[in-house]
Amino acid sequence: MNPTCLVTGASGFIGRHLLATLTAHGHPVLALLRRPETLPALREQVDALGGHGELLHALAGDLASSGLGLSDSDRRRTGQAAVVFHLGAQFAWRLPVDRARAVNVHGARQIAELAAASGSRLLMVGGFMLHNSTHLRRLGIDTEHPARTDWAGVYRRSGGYEGSKLEAHFLVNRRMRELAGALTCVHPATLCGHSRTGHMLPAQPLAGLIDNLARGRLRAIPGTPAHWLPLVCVDFLAELLRLAAFDPALVGGELLVLDDATPNLAGLLERLARALAVAPPRRYLPLGVLHAILQVPGATQLLRTEPESLHFIQTQRFDTSVTRAFAARQGVPWPDIGAALEATARFVGPAGR
Ligand SMILES: NC(=O)c1ccc[n+]([C@@H]2O[C@H](COP(=O)([O-])OP(=O)(O)OC[C@H]3O[C@@H](n4cnc5c(N)ncnc54)[C@H](OP(=O)(O)O)[C@@H]3O)[C@@H](O)[C@H]2O)c1
């Protein structure tokens, strides 16, 4: 039997795929669940994704509760975990800052303290915007001295979800240094579905884009030909998370997991449209104009587009050489992102509903 792992966010999209690969590789998993009564359904979902659901066990807990809401006996069980994977987060556009901080920032701090106290390695899942230094500077984050950052200002500019993910990253790094804990950070791009089956959950940002395209709500391409939405396939990410967590060379390290071969936004919409058998948009709409339109009352509901989501569409390119070298060393091939996009569109689109 391989070492036991603890996973937060186990019922989420990435979480389920991570559970599938961990249990398929013989790791018993303690899943921190707000609703532990959903364990039987989660076991079935993990089986369906190729894992072994019987290796899953539930710990009742809530990231927003003091002491993570764990009972004394469950807290003792957390000490069995060689690795704590922290994926749990509340994701929503227009998330109130208090709620975002309670779950995503203070929850992450509590998980870091739990991992350090148990001598477990912490695998923290952040987000790829942490590698966009221009964007971080624009938001007002002092990456050299994060403690000097005016976080209230950052939240005003970024919104609750993104601000809390950024704050959590810097806070967890600081706490793990103070506690001399072992930390590895993985920063994924926006998630594409499973590379072969296209499996994706409806609340995922890409699923929203596909739905808009399928229903004819996307009449123009946001941005310019240089704009793109970096993606990564969920199964590839889950494999890298598992392997990164047990690689001694990555203690104190980071992986930026995004696929450089993701087409620009126009190409991405074309691949999705082809699979949905709809016409792709051809005209461009500058992001500034789209932002302005979305300020009009009712426009976000009408267009099913949130201004916060536009931050992730950008012209920035990223250095993924460390991740490419890691994937090559581990023998994990990069999936064909174009084929994965089409599979995801078929899974999410009207025919897949
Ligand atoms: N999806 C993306 O495109 C993307 C890209 C970059 C980074 N990420 C990061 O990757 C991680 C996982 O993302 P995902 O897309 O898999 O998320 P998801 O599908 O939205 O799932 C979120 C998970 O967090 C749990 N959770 C929420 N609030 C909680 C609380 N108060 N206490 C305990 N658990 C709570 C949810 O549990 P319930 O079942 O109880 O709701 C669920 O398991 C997140 O940290 C996210 O920020 C995601």
Side-chain angles (χ1 to χ4, degrees):
M1 195 63 84
N2 272 323
T4 297
C5 299
L6 192 157
V7 178
T8 73
S11 56
F13 180 49
I14 304 172
R16 289 182 202 183
H17 285 270
L18 176 64
L19 297 184
T21 182
L22 284 173
T23 57
H25 286 85
H27 293 279
V29 175
L30 303 170
L32 182 96
L33 297 176
R34 284 194 285 188
R35 291 168 296 139
E37 69 279 8
T38 58
L39 179 67
L42 186 58
R43 283 182 165 156
E44 281 176 21
Q45 287 154 358
V46 167
D47 286 341
L49 294 174
H52 296 301
E54 75 278 5
L55 288 177
L56 288 183
H57 308 278
L59 302 177
D62 189 322
L63 292 166
S65 300
S66 134
L68 296 164
L70 289 167
S71 68
D72 289 344
S73 60
D74 277 352
R75 181 165 283 273
R76 279 193 295 279
R77 289 173 76 197
T78 64
Q80 300 166 7
V83 177
V84 174
F85 290 88
H86 181 48
L87 282 71
Q90 187 155 351
F91 163 66
W93 307 126
R94 284 181 286 164
L95 186 61
V97 171
D98 285 356
R99 179 65 188 164
R101 295 191 82 227
V103 179
N104 299 351
V105 181
H106 300 307
R109 178 183 47 74
Q110 294 198 77
I111 289 292
E113 289 167 355
L114 178 95
S118 318
S120 315
R121 179 153 164 195
L122 177 61
L123 193 303
M124 168 90 178
V125 174
F128 75 108
M129 293 303 264
L130 278 150
H131 278 244
N132 183 338
S133 49
T134 314
H135 178 67
L136 297 183
R137 257 196 315 277
R138 207 181 300 127
L139 291 179
I141 294 175
D142 184 339
T143 48
E144 293 291 303
H145 307 284
R148 293 185 194 159
T149 298
D150 165 22
W151 284 104
V154 172
Y155 280 97
R156 268 197 309 280
R157 289 181 278 272
S158 68
Y161 170 70
E162 196 192 350
S164 62
K165 289 289 299 180
L166 299 172
E167 187 182 5
H169 170 78
F170 291 106
L171 179 62
V172 163
N173 269 271
R174 197 191 77 211
R175 276 310 275 151
M176 291 304 273
R177 269 196 310 276
E178 288 166 356
L179 299 168
L183 172 67
T184 300
C185 294
V186 173
H187 298 304
T190 298
L191 266 293
C192 184
H194 187 282
S195 58
R196 287 187 314 282
T197 65
H199 176 259
M200 163 152 284
L201 298 186
Q204 289 294 306
L206 186 64
L209 186 74
I210 293 171
D211 192 50
N212 271 347
L213 189 61
R215 293 177 194 279
R217 290 193 201 109
L218 205 63
R219 300 284 171 80
I221 305 159
T224 67
H227 280 86
W228 71 317
L229 176 66
L231 296 176
V232 65
C233 291
V234 69
D235 46 324
F236 177 80
L237 172 64
E239 279 306 292
L240 256 54
L241 286 171
R242 177 179 65 77
L243 293 164
F246 293 98
D247 185 333
L250 276 183
V251 174
E254 289 202 355
L255 288 181
L256 169 64
V257 190
L258 69 77
D259 194 332
D260 297 320
T262 308
N264 69 0
L265 203 51
L268 178 146
L269 292 172
E270 194 162 329
R271 290 300 287 252
L272 295 174
R274 189 188 306 167
L276 293 166
V278 298
R282 299 279 178 211
R283 284 178 299 114
Y284 287 92
L285 182 63
L287 282 176
V289 176
L290 184 52
H291 256 292
I293 293 172
L294 292 174
Q295 303 312 311
V296 175
T300 54
Q301 291 88 330
L302 191 69
L303 298 173
R304 298 279 205 285
T305 302
E306 290 290 339
E308 285 173 56
S309 69
L310 301 180
H311 288 169
F312 298 88
I313 296 171
Q314 58 199 290
T315 54
Q316 175 84 29
R317 306 303 299 193
F318 296 83
D319 178 1
T320 56
S321 53
V322 173
T323 308
R324 295 202 157 270
F326 179 73
R329 180 155 57 84
Q330 298 287 351
V332 187
W334 290 75
D336 177 336
I337 191 75
L341 275 167
E342 292 192 11
T344 307
R346 282 192 294 272
F347 187 92
V348 174
R353 277 162 197 279

